[in-house]
Structures are given as structure tokens and as C-alpha cells.
Amino acid sequence: MAEANFPLPGSPPPVAELVATLDDGARVKRRFPRMRACNEKNDKGKLCAGHLKRWYFFGEEVRRKFGAQAEVYRCEHCRTLYLPSPEEQPRSDVLCW
Ligand SMILES: [Zn+2]
């Protein structure tokens, strides 16, 4: 994995924890700070590394679990969903990354 610039050297390795699994099998994980690529592994243990894109088209279940205004990202490759890291405070609606 390319984990070049994490804020604190020596901080524990980031883990994108699994938050929920939706009824349709989609996994919802928590991003770690500055995470931009999916870290799901497929059956063969190969890293997905798909690009995480802001996603607005989530359905009722996500809305119910995380709210209608939820900030949701989705891997464009394996479609795992990601929630923003709690350490990343949104500065405004325009994310500067
Ligand atoms: Zn993925």
C-alpha cells in the first residue's frame, strides 16, 4: 500500500474498520485520514486499490443508518462504501483534497 504521508510517524497503522454490512452485501467501512484508495482485498488477497469517490446515490438503508446527509464514498471498483474518518473534520462542503 502507498501510505506515504500519515500525520504522525509512529502512530498505529491505519485500519479502515468495518462499520456495517448492508442487506445487499455491500460493506461500509470507515476511511482513515487521507485515505483515497480502497483497501479491500479480494479472494486472492490482492488489494483492490480502487478510487474512492463521493457518492450521493445511496438508498434507504444507508440513509436510515447514517442519515440523509451522510458523507459517503464508494469504491468505483468493488463498490465498498466508506464513511469519512472522524479525525477529518469537514471544513466546508468543498473538500480540499
Ligand atoms: Zn475497492
Side-chain angles (χ1 to χ4, degrees):
M1 291 201 278
E3 297 166 352
N5 35 7
F6 282 102
L8 296 171
S11 61
V15 177
E17 57 174 317
L18 187 63
V19 179
T21 304
L22 303 184
D23 291 342
D24 65 2
R27 288 148 63 80
V28 182
K29 298 171 75 173
R30 171 94 48 200
R31 289 168 61 210
F32 48 78
R34 302 193 201 188
M35 179 180 188
R36 293 184 199 189
C38 177
N39 69 349
E40 279 292 286
K41 293 199 170 92
N42 69 11
D43 320 340
K44 293 166 191 145
K46 188 172 182 294
L47 204 61
C48 170
H51 188 211
L52 305 184
K53 296 175 85 165
R54 185 72 188 267
W55 191 53
Y56 298 95
F57 311 108
F58 46 80
E60 177 61 28
E61 194 184 359
V62 171
R63 217 188 329 265
R64 207 169 53 232
K65 282 188 161 78
F66 306 110
Q69 304 300 319
E71 188 181 332
V72 177
Y73 296 81
R74 187 172 74 154
C75 171
E76 61 185 3
H77 192 72
C78 70
R79 310 207 166 162
T80 297
L81 304 185
Y82 285 84
L83 300 176
S85 161
E87 295 165 43
E88 281 179 309
Q89 297 302 324
R91 294 164 198 90
S92 69
D93 285 337
V94 181
L95 291 177
C96 39
W97 60 280

